[in-house]
Structure formats: structure tokens, C-alpha cells
């Protein structure tokens, strides 16, 4: 079970899982009518497409607001639970950019640099009950099904982190993505071939501002629960790396990077990502944030070796299209996409 957090390279990881599950003919627990389990509602087993009591699924990996008892009713008892975290300051910046247009409280922030204005006095603009306001405060903690408005010193925060640590066998870190994959491979007895990836759903570098030390500190203060969560699992992550062996980890990461680099040359036209307007194939167009076209994608190499064509195409296919290829019912997501296209939003 992969608890898909927001803005944490989770779209890249879900591509790995979709390919693995498809390759081994595993049974996915997919959402019904959209690409998430009715987020931000707390997950219910009835949200799973085709759910019936006693029916067994192997993989669950779409966005949800985690609800452990309900998830446990969908998956086997020996399910391996994993998720991924990101530095909360960087995550906040990414979330503010990606979701800002659908969080009404940001509409009234004056000036061009709305994020800086917000961080310098967040209480002036933030309302816990505001529509979609959860995207802008302790989003990781919220994704885990917890109260993101608690004070970081509240005992319930410590208790929740302990429960999360007991439930999840591996908590990966976006900043150490390759190392995370190697730990996953070791835990699940995967092959190196199962870990190959291209970075998906990433922003154009020109749209990613560098946080000043002042704003970084303010972002961490504002997202203090997420910072506490991240520091806890950063510690346990490196304990796992030490147990695996630093030297072995370095060698394995180097091999993974080498294998990925080889596939870049084989699969990707020009060897790099391109802006949305330069993507030739509609099937390769990534989902864009409201009011933006800042997410990059790829063009499949026109002269790709036939032996690699299927793998390359799957590795480059964005999440919505891949889910569609697997037969997931996404009519609500697609309807929203058409509406956005009509109103140019």
C-alpha cells in the first residue's frame, strides 16, 4: 500500500507501481469515477471501484486522506505500507504554487509575491475552515488523516507520529528518492529493473523560486507539525540506510542512476523534458494546475528501438492516461478537464 502524499514525487513513484502491478498481473484497488479516493474526504472502503466484502486487492496507490481501519478492510493483513515525505518548506512552496488558485483565501492576498506575503503574516489570511485551506498548512499531516491545525507541541501530534511509524514499514524521502527505492527493493525483494523511472509531473525550473532563508524559516514554523513529522522519519530513514550499508547503498544508487541515464538516451527525444506546449502526443500531456501550464512532460524518441518502445511509452505516460489505459473509471476527472479547457482555466 502506497499512501500517496501531495507534491512529493509521488506521481513518479506511482508510475513505478503501476508498471510493476501490470507486469505481475496484480489486482489494484482503484478509485471510482476520479483519480483519487474522494480526497479530502476520509477514505472509505466503498470508494474502491468494484469493492466487495472479502475481495482481495494487492496494490492501492491513489491519493486519499488516510484512514487506517478502512484501508485495512481492503488489503491483506500482511500488506506492506509505504509512503513518501518531502522537506516541508519546499513542499509548502510547491503546494502554494500548484493549488493556490483553488484556495480562495489566496485570492485576496495583495501583491505579486503572494506566498511571501502569506508567510510573513499567515494568520491574517488563513482560515482553518476555508475551502481547500488544508493545502496550505501541514499538508503531510493532513494527508495522514490527522488534524493539521493542532499546535506542534500538542501530545496528540506525538501520538499520531508514533501510530504512523507503527503502521508504515518504510517512509521514503523525496530528497533521497533513489536511496528510498533501493530500500524498497530490499524490503520487497524487487529487481533493479523494477525501480527504473523518469521524473514525472515536475515544474519548469523557471517557475520554481528559491526560498530565501527568511521564508524557509517562516514556512517551517507555519508547517511545524510537518517539520516534526519529517525530522522523525528522516532519522529513521538514515537508520535504515546504515543497516543496509552505506557503501552498498552508494553502489546501488550509482547503478540505478546509470540505468536510468541509459533509458533517457533510448526513450526521450532530446534527452530532456519539455514545456507542455512542445509535447507532440496528447497521450503524454500531464495534468496542469488550475490557471497554469507549468508542468513539463516528454516526447517519445521517434526512432526508439522497438525492443524498448513499450517500456519507454509506459515510463513516460502521465498518471491520468496510465490509469485510463488500465481501465479505471475517471469520468469526473475527465469532465472537470473538459470544463477547464472550455473556460480556459
Amino acid at each position: 500500500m502506497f499512501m500517496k502524499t501531495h507534491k512529493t514525487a509521488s506521481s513518479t513513484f506511482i508510475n513505478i507501481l503501476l508498471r510493476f502491478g501490470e507486469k505481475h498481473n496484480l489486482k489494484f484497488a482503484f478509485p471510482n469515477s476520479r483519480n483519487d479516493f474522494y480526497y479530502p474526504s476520509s477514505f472509505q472502503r466503498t470508494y474502491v471501484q468494484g469493492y466487495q466484502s472479502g475481495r482481495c486487492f494487492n496494490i492501492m496507490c491513489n491519493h486519499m486522506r488516510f484512514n487506517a481501519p478502512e484501508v485495512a478492510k481492503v488489503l491483506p493483513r500482511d500488506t506492506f505500507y509505504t509512503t513518501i515525505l518531502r522537506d516541508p518548506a519546499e513542499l509548502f512552496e510547491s503546494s502554494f504554487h500548484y493549488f493556490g488558485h483553488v484556495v480562495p483565501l489566496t485570492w485576496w492576498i495583495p501583491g505579486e509575491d503572494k506566498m511571501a506575503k502569506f508567510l510573513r503574516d499567515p494568520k491574517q489570511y488563513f482560515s482553518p475552515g476555508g475551502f481547500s485551506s488544508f493545502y496550505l498548512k501541514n499538508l503531510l499531516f493532513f494527508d495522514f488523516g490527522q488534524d493539521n491545525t493542532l499546535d506542534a507541541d500538542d501530545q496528540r501530534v506525538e501520538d499520531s507520529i508514533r501510530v504512523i511509524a507503527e503502521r508504515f514499514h518504510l517512509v521514503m524521502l523525496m530528497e533521497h528518492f533513489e536511496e528510498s527505492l533501493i530500500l524498497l527493493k530490499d524490503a520487497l525483494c524487487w529487481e533493479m529493473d523494477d525501480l527504473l523511472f523518469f521524473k514525472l509531473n515536475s515544474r519548469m525550473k523557471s517557475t520554481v523560486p528559491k526560498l530565501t532563508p527568511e521564508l524557509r524559516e517562516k514556512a517551517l514554523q507555519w508547517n511545524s507539525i510537518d517539520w516534526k513529522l519529517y525530522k522523525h522519519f528522516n532519522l529513521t530513514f538514515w537508520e535504515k540506510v546504515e543497516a543496509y550499508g552505506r557503501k552498498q547503498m552508494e553502489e546501488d544508487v550509482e547503478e540505478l542512476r546509470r540505468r536510468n541515464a541509459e533509458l533517457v538516451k533510448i526513450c526521450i527525444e532530446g534527452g530532456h523534458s519539455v514545456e507542455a506546449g512542445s509535447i507532440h502526443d496528447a497521450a503524454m500531456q500531464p495534468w496542469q494546475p488550475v490557471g497554469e501550464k507549468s508542468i513539463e512532460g516528454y516526447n517519445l524518441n521517434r526512432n526508439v528501438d522497438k525492443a524498448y518502445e513499450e517500456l519507454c511509452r509506459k515510463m513516460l505516460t502521465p498518471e491520468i492516461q496510465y490509469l485510463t489505459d488500465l481501465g479505471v473509471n475517471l469520468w469526473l476527472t475527465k469532465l472537470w478537464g473538459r470544463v477547464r479547457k472550455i473556460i480556459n482555466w
Side-chain angles (χ1 to χ4, degrees), residues 107-220:
W107 300 350
W108 320 116
I109 301 175
E112 291 187 9
D113 194 346
K114 291 177 178 287
M115 186 186 71
K117 194 83 171 178
F118 177 90
L119 283 175
R120 290 188 175 112
D121 192 7
K123 292 182 180 179
Q124 178 181 344
Y125 304 105
F126 185 79
S127 171
F131 183 78
S132 293
S133 64
F134 53 85
Y135 283 123
L136 302 185
K137 186 172 178 63
N138 296 312
L139 179 56
L140 291 171
F141 203 61
F142 183 86
D143 282 351
F144 279 107
Q146 307 301 319
D147 183 353
N148 63 324
T149 63
L150 292 173
D151 187 274
D153 295 325
D154 192 306
Q155 183 59 41
R156 287 172 289 180
V157 172
E158 290 287 350
D159 293 343
S160 296
I161 292 175
R162 186 185 68 253
V163 169
I164 293 167
E166 291 171 353
R167 170 67 63 173
F168 285 84
H169 302 86
L170 174 63
V171 177
M172 302 181 288
L173 302 179
M174 174 180 162
E175 292 79 11
H176 302 283
F177 192 69
E178 289 99 343
E179 290 90 342
S180 296
L181 293 180
I182 298 300
L183 291 178
L184 183 79
K185 168 181 170 292
D186 182 58
L188 297 180
C189 299
W190 282 16
E191 302 294 333
M192 191 66 78
D193 282 349
D194 299 321
L195 306 182
L196 302 176
F197 70 91
F198 298 135
K199 187 184 293 186
L200 300 177
N201 206 38
S202 60
R203 284 160 63 189
M204 295 183 294
K205 290 183 179 179
S206 61
T207 69
V208 184
K210 184 172 177 60
L211 286 172
T212 65
E214 176 210 3
L215 290 181
R216 173 175 170 77
E217 182 60 30
K218 289 184 180 298
L220 292 177

Side-chain angles (χ1 to χ4, degrees), residues 36-81:
D36 60 43
F37 290 106
Y38 291 90
Y39 186 89
S41 297
S42 181
F43 174 80
Q44 302 295 318
R45 61 188 182 277
T46 53
Y47 296 164
V48 175
Q49 182 176 302
Y51 170 78
Q52 293 178 343
S53 180
R55 188 176 184 185
C56 183
F57 295 90
N58 305 118
I59 298 179
M60 178 181 285
C61 55
N62 293 81
H63 277 307
M64 67 166 67
R65 189 162 187 222
F66 191 65
N67 180 354
E70 286 292 296
V71 169
K73 291 172 183 175
V74 177
L75 299 169
R77 290 185 179 180
D78 62 350
T79 293
F80 184 89
Y81 286 77

